[in-house]
Structures are given as C-alpha cells and as structure tokens.
Amino acid sequence: MTDSPRGAAEKAPTTPLHTERLYVTWYSWLLPMAAAGLMAATVHLGYPGLRSWLPYVLLLPLTALLIWRAGRAPVRVQDGELYVGDAHLPLEFVGEVETFDAKDKRKVLGPHLDPRAFVLHRGWVRPVVRVRVTDPADPTPYWVFSTRHPEKVATLLRG
C-alpha cells in the first residue's frame, strides 16, 4: 500500500511535449478597439455629464476582454493526451493525422466538414490539423483545430 495521495496508478504530470496558445496578434486588436472607441464617442456626444463617460468605461474594457478571451485557446500534447481548448483526447485513440495550409483549410472546414466533428478554429491562425478519432465509443469522427506549428503537432501525434 502506498502513502501517496495520488495512488500507485497515477503519475505526476510531466512537462508538455508541445504547448501553445492561439493568441490574437497585437495588430488584430487595433480595429475592434477603434470601433469600440468610436461607439463610445458616439454615445458620449449624445449625453451630458457623468453618463457621457460610461460607454468608455464599459465598451473599451469589454472589447479588450473579448479579444483576450478569444485568444486563450490552448493546444497541448502532454501526459499521453492531446488537449485542444477544454477537450482532450488520449493519444491511443489518435488515428490518421493530416495538416492543411490556408488554401486547403477552406475545403476541410467547408463542404467536406462532418457536422459531428470537433472544431476549434481561429481565423487568425492559418494552418489546421485534422486528427481521426479511433475510439469506437466516441461519436466524433475527427478533430479539426488551428495550430501555428502543424508539422510539429502532427509528428508528435504520429509518434
């Protein structure tokens, strides 16, 4: 019997083989923040006094929060599992792995997309990876997700 709270079967977490966040680039913040500023200025012109500053206090931080949240999606290979966003897939159920560049991802995400597929797509990240799921109990046929390093992820998943 072991004194470890984890038990004998569980292992301590290891360092990730690959990890990335699908963050929004700095120049992609400019247009939404400018639009939020213009909307706040429009309301500012219509109301006198303290109410005129309320749109700035609400719209600018809210816009920044939404952009930041859109870029929080992680892609990670660690401890024998693939983590994409909040979902995870054990590597034992990883089948065929394919990478697609910007021009080919249009077909993968468009007319050839199975509605049952798990998709985590970020438009500002050009390449995508498609991973077939071999788990017979899982109704999801494959995963399609954005990554900035598709070849590295594909190599790790194939190995």
Side-chain angles (χ1 to χ4, degrees), residues 130-143:
R130 180 168 58 190
V131 177
R132 299 266 179 214
V133 178
T134 60
D135 183 3
D138 192 346
T140 307
Y142 56 84
W143 286 19

Side-chain angles (χ1 to χ4, degrees), residues 62-150:
L62 181 63
T63 303
L65 178 70
L66 291 173
I67 296 169
W68 174 78
R69 184 151 165 72
R72 286 190 58 226
V75 175
R76 187 173 81 235
V77 179
Q78 179 181 9
D79 296 332
E81 294 200 38
L82 168 65
Y83 296 89
V84 178
D86 293 332
H88 62 94
L89 176 69
L91 294 183
E92 64 191 76
F93 297 122
V94 170
E96 179 186 12
V97 179
E98 300 171 275
T99 61
F100 299 94
D101 59 4
K103 66 179 179 168
D104 293 331
K105 90 174 173 181
R106 188 177 191 106
K107 291 179 191 169
V108 174
L109 294 172
H112 299 274
L113 180 69
D114 188 326
R116 299 171 300 154
F118 169 77
V119 179
L120 189 130
H121 174 251
R122 297 295 186 251
W124 54 88
V125 179
R126 300 218 184 265
V128 295
V129 174
R130 180 168 58 190
V131 177
R132 299 266 179 214
V133 178
T134 60
D135 183 3
D138 192 346
T140 307
Y142 56 84
W143 286 19
V144 178
F145 57 93
S146 299
T147 178
R148 287 188 171 88
H149 309 285

Side-chain angles (χ1 to χ4, degrees), residues 14-15 30 38 65 81 107 119 151:
T14 60
T15 57
L30 297 177
L38 285 173
L65 178 70
E81 294 200 38
K107 291 179 191 169
V119 179
E151 294 304 325

